[in-house]
Amino acid sequence: MKAIILAAGRGTRLGELTKNQPKPTIEVGGKTILQRIIEGLHRHNIYQIIVNCHYLPLIIEEKIGSNALFFYEEFLLGHDGTISALKSWLNDDFFVINGDTISTVDYTDMLNKHKSGTISVLMDNWRAAGVWLYSKEYFSIKDMPIVPYRPPNLVWFDIGDPVRLQKARDYFK
């Protein structure tokens, strides 16, 4: 199983916090967001991880070390563009995870409930929660169906703005 962590954005809504560091390297409860995501993947035996980088990529590489591969984007490609650029690396079902979200998702359970020929999306009651599981057929099936995955007792945080970042920090105190 492989995973892509989307970490290329500038994080402009966080203002001064991201002036000299990428958003995914912000600490929440003593760990960077990227650390939390990678540790979660490792708990579910997912070790083939690639992090896309654009803004201050050397800081991301320094924080992650050998826990992931890195894919530098000279120009931001976006969610679909990054997946397309990594097509040759993706030869089976794969996760895509926003680099600014922390969740309690059980990747193994999500994979077990995933249906071939679909895209499973982690959701709370009404909103996508930053994790997608793509079927390997993604590159050959046009308009692949999207299926919500709503686990009970999901806790998740999108730290994309100061208010949501503070909520995550309060939770992980």
Side-chain angles (χ1 to χ4, degrees), residues 53-66:
C53 305
H54 174 76
Y55 178 62
L56 301 173
L58 296 178
I59 293 174
I60 289 177
E61 186 174 351
E62 175 186 305
K63 295 284 185 182
I64 299 305
S66 63

Side-chain angles (χ1 to χ4, degrees), residues 4 9 11 18 21 39 41 45 53 70 72 86-88 94 103 122 135-136 139-141 155 159:
I4 299 169
T18 54
Q21 75 176 40
E39 287 174 1
L41 290 165
N45 296 312
C53 305
F70 300 92
Y72 176 73
L86 294 171
K87 179 180 179 179
S88 64
F94 59 94
S103 75
L122 178 65
S135 291
K136 62 184 173 186
F139 297 105
S140 61
I141 297 177
V155 176
I159 61 95

Side-chain angles (χ1 to χ4, degrees), residues 14-15 17 29-30 33-36 40 42 75 81 109-110 115-116 118 126 128 136 140 147 155 159 163 167-168:
L14 288 170
L17 279 175
I33 295 157
L34 281 173
Q35 268 182 288
R36 290 186 175 280
H42 286 179
F75 304 99
D109 185 62
M110 189 172 181
K115 296 193 179 2
S116 182
T118 68
W126 61 275
K136 62 184 173 186
S140 61
V147 178
V155 176
I159 61 95
V163 171
K167 285 181 183 178

Side-chain angles (χ1 to χ4, degrees), residues 10-26:
R10 296 186 67 87
T12 56
R13 290 178 292 161
L14 288 170
E16 286 297 310
L17 279 175
T18 54
K19 183 177 179 182
N20 297 310
Q21 75 176 40
K23 182 169 44 172
T25 64
I26 291 174

Side-chain angles (χ1 to χ4, degrees), residues 43-44 57 65 106 146 166:
R43 279 193 298 278
H44 294 274
D106 180 331
I146 297 172
Q166 189 57 51

Side-chain angles (χ1 to χ4, degrees), residues 7-145:
R10 296 186 67 87
T12 56
R13 290 178 292 161
L14 288 170
E16 286 297 310
L17 279 175
T18 54
K19 183 177 179 182
N20 297 310
Q21 75 176 40
K23 182 169 44 172
T25 64
I26 291 174
E27 288 195 6
V28 173
K31 296 180 181 181
T32 68
I33 295 157
L34 281 173
Q35 268 182 288
R36 290 186 175 280
I37 293 169
I38 290 171
E39 287 174 1
L41 290 165
H42 286 179
R43 279 193 298 278
H44 294 274
N45 296 312
I46 302 168
Y47 294 97
Q48 294 185 60
I49 302 165
I50 195 163
V51 179
N52 79 325
C53 305
H54 174 76
Y55 178 62
L56 301 173
L58 296 178
I59 293 174
I60 289 177
E61 186 174 351
E62 175 186 305
K63 295 284 185 182
I64 299 305
S66 63
N67 285 312
L69 299 170
F70 300 92
F71 175 66
Y72 176 73
E73 296 179 1
E74 184 176 356
F75 304 99
L76 291 174
L77 299 174
H79 187 112
D80 291 335
T82 298
I83 293 170
S84 293
L86 294 171
K87 179 180 179 179
S88 64
W89 186 71
L90 300 166
N91 53 6
D92 203 350
D93 293 356
F94 59 94
F95 284 99
V96 176
I97 303 160
N98 285 351
D100 63 356
T101 58
I102 303 169
S103 75
T104 58
V105 64
D106 180 331
Y107 294 103
T108 303
D109 185 62
M110 189 172 181
L111 182 59
N112 289 338
K113 292 182 176 160
H114 177 69
K115 296 193 179 2
S116 182
T118 68
I119 301 168
S120 297
V121 60
L122 178 65
M123 296 189 75
D124 61 15
N125 290 333
W126 61 275
R127 184 175 163 192
V131 177
W132 295 264
L133 175 53
Y134 285 76
S135 291
K136 62 184 173 186
E137 300 88 1
Y138 172 72
F139 297 105
S140 61
I141 297 177
K142 188 177 171 104
D143 299 322
M144 186 174 278

